[in-house]
Each structure stands twice: as structure tokens, then as C-alpha cells.
Amino acid sequence: MEKHAKLSELPATAICGNDISSSCLYVSALSLLYAGQYAWISLLLVGGTLFLFRKIYGEVVGALPLNGGAYNVLLNSANKSMASLAACLTILSYVATSVISANEAIHYAAIFSPSLPIILGTIGLLLLFFLLNLLGLKESSKAAVVIFIIHLATLSILCLVCGWHLITEGTGQFRLNFTLKSEQSIPFQLFAGFSAAMLGISGFESSANYVEEQDRGVFPKTLRNMWIIVTIFNPLIAILALGLIPLDNVQNYQQSLLAFMGERSGGHWLSWLVSFDAVLVLSGAVLTSFVGVSGLIKRMTLDRIFPQFLLKENNRQAPYYILLVFFVLCVAVLLSTGGELQALAGVYTISFLSVMGLFGIGNLLLKLRRKRLPRPQRATSGSVFLALIAVGAALAGNVMFNPQYVLVFFEYFIPTFLVALIMMDRTLLLSGLLSIILYLFRPLKRGIERFTRWTNETIKKINDQEFVFFSKGDDIASLNRVMIYIQDNEETNRLRIVTIENEHFQAPEHLHRDIEALDRAYPEIDVTYERIQGSFGPELIGELSAKWQIPTNFMFIGSPGQRFQYRVEQLCGVRLII
């Protein structure tokens, strides 16, 4: 199958940029409500936090440039359970973002067509982007670029017109707002405003979920571009709002602050333009969710967390089952809430901030456990801890100001995580289910025999999946860590340890004896050893994968050193486990 073209800087930025830049529609208003005249400082602090995360993400994804984001780094530096935790949080964040953004887009569209049915319109918009994604990432990125350019142009026009209005009409309102006294202290206002404003960087994590579709070197540019947008526009809009609107009135225009600023400074045409742009960019955030979740779930499916049928693609290389499941899930959430989506804000808030925190933890684990892994840039440990403190403070602040978020979040999170845990240990589930059915339906002998036979065959098929570890002549302690990882994280009873020998490398004599000892120490896993002549690289990996019929993501290696001639992303999806 012909591979699709990689994304260049503009389309790659546009896909994630539409999500993060759509925050301009609401985050300044939120920050003004909590921080008052100091909102712009809170928003600059958010920009500073995002600057720290640029290097955190850059180091992690530069070292492991594979789809999956936080799931990918934790899978390669911690364990599958922790990785699945991050993945479930990311999926919840995408579902909440998609449903809320689609619903808000239709609310804005209703300004132009008051008779537009909100629920049906939201479903229609979700359906539109489901169909658009079926056309493939290239076509989706074209739509994203158009939306992105219109949005940045609209924000620029709005800021210029508002700035000109303040120059010509005076800054009296600005001075009045700055003289207002608050019951809260300035540090508390800054903390509250920062906590609320941190919701404005949702989308920053999305680029890591489709990094494999980006040209080499594009990913860090997408992070830089998103950081620039957030750091310039959000504080600037807050400052301009202080010059146009009394702080006491901000709450009245919380849902449409930018449209009101346009009306106040430029007239009806600018308010109309901002509302039209809101429809587009919120729709773009829906597109971001579809693209991000596709890359993540595809990676998880390759790792046998989800059923393998999800990997099927159409002739445009779009994973249509993944897209369909996500579409149905979003519609189900929308209908279950009856369009009252305030509760989803809690899911979105806690999920997104938790994913950011887990990415920081993944960075620290990568430093600790994958020291030799080459990476194009490094974040200092101090900056990672500072970023984690900032995210932790924002998470605590949001929970403190909106305690109802916690209960709603767990209502969605617990079932999602349980599904992931069950899929990771399907053999245990099937064995338990078989025992219950045998006990309850003992009289139905023939049916029970068929079900028992099917269950045992399914368990055998799962466990018979062979895994491969490419050894560099590791000592028995390192190989034991491999066995522990396999035992704790994979459903298999077969492991093939392989050494690739050539004129530069010969396996040590003790390796065969060590592997035999491990085979005796782990009787539940059949360990075999094979020596192959050749040169380790993508071609040999692909050849062995086809010959043995073992997917490449079921092949493991230890962390390569700085002199290793291949990058991790060139190794066909081989995973790092020690």
C-alpha cells in the first residue's frame, strides 16, 4: 500500500492549533472572572507554563516519535497499566472536547439561523467531521488549514480594531477597571485566574498523537507555534477587554465576550465576523479530536488493548472503525446529557490537566530509565518539576472552585478505565466468565460444551501470540527484567530471544545458559533462543516480522545508545522495555 504524504508545518500546526486557539473564545473571559484586572498576568503565567512543556514534550517525543502521546511515553518507560491510564484520560478529554466544541459551534451558528435545532445540528456537525476524516488525513488537514488561517486573521483584525478604538476613544474604562478593589488578595486572584486559564491550552497534547504523520522536524515547530498563539493572543485580548467592558459586566458576556468586544469596537460587522469564526474554529477543534483519537486508539489496538478489527483502513488509510466508534461514543454522550453539557466540563478539565501531568511524569521516567536513548533536546529536571507543580496547582484550583467536577469525572473515567483493564487481561476475564457459566447453566450440557471449547480456543489464541526480544548479549539480570515486564504487561506464554550476529558482534557464551535458566525460572512462559546472521535494522525487522508472522510492536529492544545508527521511529514500531 502506498504511504500517504507526511504533514508539513502549516497543516500539522493547523490540526492541533485549531483546538488550542479556539480557547481564545472563552479563556480570557474565564480569567477575567477569577483574576479581575490581573487576568493578563495569569494568562502570561499560563504561557510560561506552556513554554516549560515545549521542552518536556520535545524531549519525550523526540526520543520516542511514535503516536500515542502520554500513552506512548509511559508504555516505553513505565508499564502498560499506567500507559492505559493516560490513554483513557486522553480519550475522555477528546470526547468531551469534541462534544462541547460541536455543541458550542451550533450555538454560535444559531445566531445566523435561530430555528436551527441544537441537538440535531451538533450530531450533524460530528457526522460531517466523521465523513471528512474518512477521506484521509491529507483532506482533513486542508480543511484545518483554511479554518486556522481564517481564525488567526479574525483574531488579528479584532485586536487591531479594539486597539484603535482605545486609542481614539480613550482608556477611561481601562483605568476604572484597574482601580476596582477585590475582596480577595492579589495572589489568590492570580492563582484562581491561572487555574481557570490553564484550560486554554487544551490541544497542546494533540500534536503528539499524530507525530508519525508529520515530516521530520515538524513536531517541535507545532509546539512553538501553539505556544506563540496562546502567549500573544490570550493576554492581549484580556487587556483589550479591560479597556472596553466594565469588569462587573464580564459575566454577562462570558459565552460571547469576543463577539461583544467586536460589537463595541467595530460594530455589527465585526461581531458577525467573530461569531462566524467561532463556528469554524470550534468545528476545527472537533476535527482535532478525531485526528488525535485515531492515532492514539490505533496505537493501543496494535498493543492488543482494543480489538484488532479497529485497525482496518479504507483505501485512503483512514481507520474507519475507530472513527465510527468515536463518532457513536460522542453522539451517545451528547444524547445522554440531553445537550446540557456543563457536567462534561469536569471531565474535560480533570482529564486534560491529568494528561499534562502524566506527560511530565513520563519525562522524568524517561530520564531515569532510558538515559541512553538519543533525544534532540532535553528539559532540565528542575523545569519538569516546576511544570508539574504548575499543573498540580491548576488541577487543585479547578477542583477547589468546582468540586462537583470530581464526581462527574469519575462517573465517566471509571467505566472507561475498567474496559481498558479488562482488555489487558482478557484471559482472566474469559476464565472467570467460563466458571460462572458452568456453574449457572450446568443442565445445558451441549451449549456449555460449545462455549467451553470456544473460550479455551480464544484463551489459547491470545496466549499463543509470540513476542520477540532482540538481545545485545544482556546479562541475566537484564533478561530477568524483560521476563518480569512480559509477565506483568503482556498476555502470552511464548517469548523468543534473538541475537543478531555479524563480523562486529558475537553473542557471549553465557547467554544461552542464562536463557535456559530463565526458561526454568518462568515455567508459564516458553522461552526460546535464536541466533541470526545479519545486521539489525528496519529491513531485518520487517523480514523477521513477515517470516514469523509476529507484528513489529510485539518485538522489544533495550534502549539504544547514542551511536546507534537508526532512530526509534525507523524501527517499524519496535518497543523499548529496558
Side-chain angles (χ1 to χ4, degrees):
M1 182 181 294
E2 184 181 350
K3 292 186 177 180
H4 58 74
K6 299 284 187 178
L7 296 174
S8 59
E9 181 180 348
L10 178 57
T13 301
I15 290 172
C16 52
N18 283 327
D19 191 358
I20 198 167
S21 63
S22 67
S23 69
C24 298
L25 296 170
Y26 60 85
V27 75
S28 295
L30 274 177
S31 192
L32 285 165
L33 287 174
Y34 283 100
Q37 61 267 51
Y38 306 108
W40 60 278
I41 300 177
S42 293
L43 290 163
L44 283 174
L45 290 173
V46 170
T49 302
L50 205 59
F51 180 80
L52 297 177
F53 272 101
R54 275 180 60 189
K55 282 199 171 182
I56 293 172
Y57 273 70
E59 177 179 356
V60 168
V61 179
L64 300 166
L66 303 169
N67 289 348
Y71 168 80
N72 178 48
V73 62
L74 292 171
L75 183 68
N76 284 282
S77 61
N79 55 56
K80 217 169 186 178
S81 298
M82 194 169 180
S84 297
L85 169 65
C88 291
L89 290 168
T90 306
I91 292 170
L92 284 178
S93 176
Y94 279 136
V95 170
T97 298
S98 188
V99 175
I100 292 172
S101 296
N103 189 260
E104 285 297 312
I106 297 302
H107 272 96
Y108 271 102
I111 295 173
F112 308 105
S113 178
S115 60
L116 182 65
I118 301 299
I119 298 293
L120 286 178
T122 303
I123 294 173
L125 188 60
L126 290 168
L127 178 62
L128 173 65
F129 282 99
F130 163 66
L131 296 174
L132 179 61
N133 275 270
L134 288 179
L135 297 177
L137 188 60
K138 185 177 179 181
E139 298 302 320
S140 301
S141 67
K142 290 178 182 177
V145 168
V146 172
I147 294 170
F148 187 60
I149 291 174
I150 292 174
H151 182 53
L152 292 186
T154 301
L155 290 179
S156 300
I157 292 169
L158 176 67
C159 291
L160 288 171
V161 172
C162 289
W164 180 251
H165 179 84
L166 293 181
I167 291 171
T168 56
E169 300 296 326
T171 56
Q173 186 62 62
F174 191 84
R175 290 193 296 271
L176 283 174
N177 281 331
F178 259 86
T179 58
L180 286 178
K181 300 292 184 182
S182 172
E183 296 179 0
Q184 307 295 341
S185 65
I186 293 176
F188 182 84
Q189 285 181 274
L190 290 174
F191 166 68
F194 172 78
S195 299
M198 276 292 285
L199 302 183
I201 59 174
S202 172
F204 191 76
E205 79 289 358
S206 292
S207 185
N209 282 314
Y210 58 93
V211 66
E212 290 179 45
E213 281 72 47
Q214 300 175 29
D215 268 334
R216 189 180 180 189
V218 165
F219 175 74
K221 294 177 182 176
T222 66
L223 301 182
R224 178 202 62 197
N225 296 339
M226 286 189 285
W227 170 71
I228 290 172
I229 291 168
V230 166
T231 306
I232 291 177
F233 279 113
N234 285 344
L236 180 57
I237 289 170
I239 291 172
L240 293 171
L242 288 171
L244 292 169
I245 306 169
L247 270 176
D248 295 338
N249 292 350
V250 169
Q251 189 164 3
N252 299 331
Y253 306 104
Q254 181 180 347
Q255 302 300 323
S256 56
L257 178 66
L258 270 64
F260 180 75
M261 289 171 62
E263 180 81 36
R264 191 74 177 266
S265 61
H268 186 65
W269 70 271
L270 187 52
S271 175
W272 185 93
L273 177 62
V274 170
S275 299
F276 175 73
D277 170 63
V279 175
L280 289 181
V281 76
L282 287 166
S283 300
V286 177
L287 174 60
T288 304
S289 297
F290 271 96
V291 173
V293 84
S294 296
L296 174 60
I297 293 183
K298 185 176 179 180
R299 179 66 200 278
M300 295 176 72
T301 306
L302 286 168
D303 294 329
R304 296 204 300 177
I305 292 178
F306 292 129
Q308 296 300 294
F309 75 87
L310 292 174
L311 293 174
K312 291 185 179 181
E313 297 180 337
N314 61 17
N315 57 3
R316 291 177 176 265
Q317 295 182 310
Y320 50 90
Y321 278 125
I322 293 176
L323 296 171
L324 178 61
V325 169
F326 184 68
F327 167 71
V328 170
L329 185 60
C330 289
V331 172
V333 169
L334 174 69
L335 295 178
S336 69
T337 60
E340 299 297 323
L341 302 179
Q342 292 85 354
L344 274 186
V347 178
Y348 159 75
T349 301
I350 297 177
S351 298
F352 162 67
L353 291 174
S354 298
V355 169
M356 293 288 282
L358 285 172
F359 218 106
I361 292 170
N363 182 285
L364 293 174
L365 290 174
L366 202 70
K367 294 179 189 297
L368 183 65
R369 299 179 179 179
R370 304 287 182 266
K371 295 177 182 178
R372 296 185 301 161
L373 193 62
R375 55 205 76 183
Q377 59 180 304
R378 293 178 183 270
T380 64
S381 298
S383 66
V384 179
F385 279 114
L386 185 60
L388 285 173
I389 290 170
V391 168
L395 186 58
N398 277 282
V399 170
M400 182 171 70
F401 300 129
N402 303 281
Q404 71 277 13
Y405 282 4
V406 179
L407 181 60
V408 176
F409 165 74
F410 280 112
E411 287 176 358
Y412 283 88
F413 172 73
I414 291 174
T416 306
F417 192 49
L418 282 176
V419 169
L421 289 177
I422 287 169
M423 291 303 297
M424 283 193 296
D425 204 349
R426 286 167 291 173
T427 55
L428 180 63
L429 172 70
L430 288 170
S431 299
L433 185 63
L434 177 60
S435 300
I436 293 172
I437 290 176
L438 287 174
Y439 178 77
L440 294 177
F441 300 99
R442 282 172 292 181
L444 304 175
K445 186 176 180 181
R446 183 173 297 178
I448 290 298
E449 287 177 352
R450 290 176 182 171
F451 182 77
T452 302
R453 186 165 55 251
W454 174 84
T455 303
N456 290 332
E457 288 174 356
T458 302
I459 292 172
K460 185 177 185 302
K461 184 179 178 181
I462 293 171
N463 286 331
D464 278 351
Q465 173 62 63
E466 189 174 21
F467 283 69
V468 173
F469 176 71
F470 291 105
S471 173
K472 299 173 291 185
D474 307 83
D475 58 30
I476 194 167
S478 297
L479 292 173
N480 188 54
R481 285 162 55 200
V482 173
M483 299 300 297
I484 292 171
Y485 180 90
I486 296 287
Q487 192 175 51
D488 291 346
N489 293 279
E490 305 296 345
E491 292 182 287
T492 185
N493 53 25
R494 298 172 64 199
L495 174 66
R496 185 185 306 216
I497 297 177
V498 178
T499 54
I500 309 299
E501 298 184 333
N502 49 49
E503 63 272 18
H504 304 295
F505 174 77
Q506 293 293 318
E509 292 296 327
H510 65 80
L511 186 59
H512 190 274
R513 295 193 301 273
D514 291 346
I515 292 171
E516 287 181 341
L518 286 172
D519 190 30
R520 292 191 296 271
Y522 293 88
E524 66 279 11
I525 300 177
D526 180 22
V527 183
T528 58
Y529 174 49
E530 190 163 342
R531 300 163 70 171
I532 293 175
Q533 290 294 319
S535 179
F536 183 74
E539 290 183 5
L540 183 60
I541 291 170
E543 180 184 321
L544 294 178
S545 175
K547 178 182 176 181
W548 295 334
Q549 295 187 336
I550 300 174
T552 54
N553 58 305
F554 296 160
M555 295 180 170
F556 304 146
I557 60 172
S559 296
Q562 294 287 342
R563 296 181 180 180
F564 188 58
Q565 60 180 318
Y566 298 105
R567 301 189 305 275
V568 173
E569 69 269 29
Q570 294 178 298
L571 299 180
C572 311
V574 169
R575 282 163 49 190
L576 309 177
I577 60 170
I578 62 170

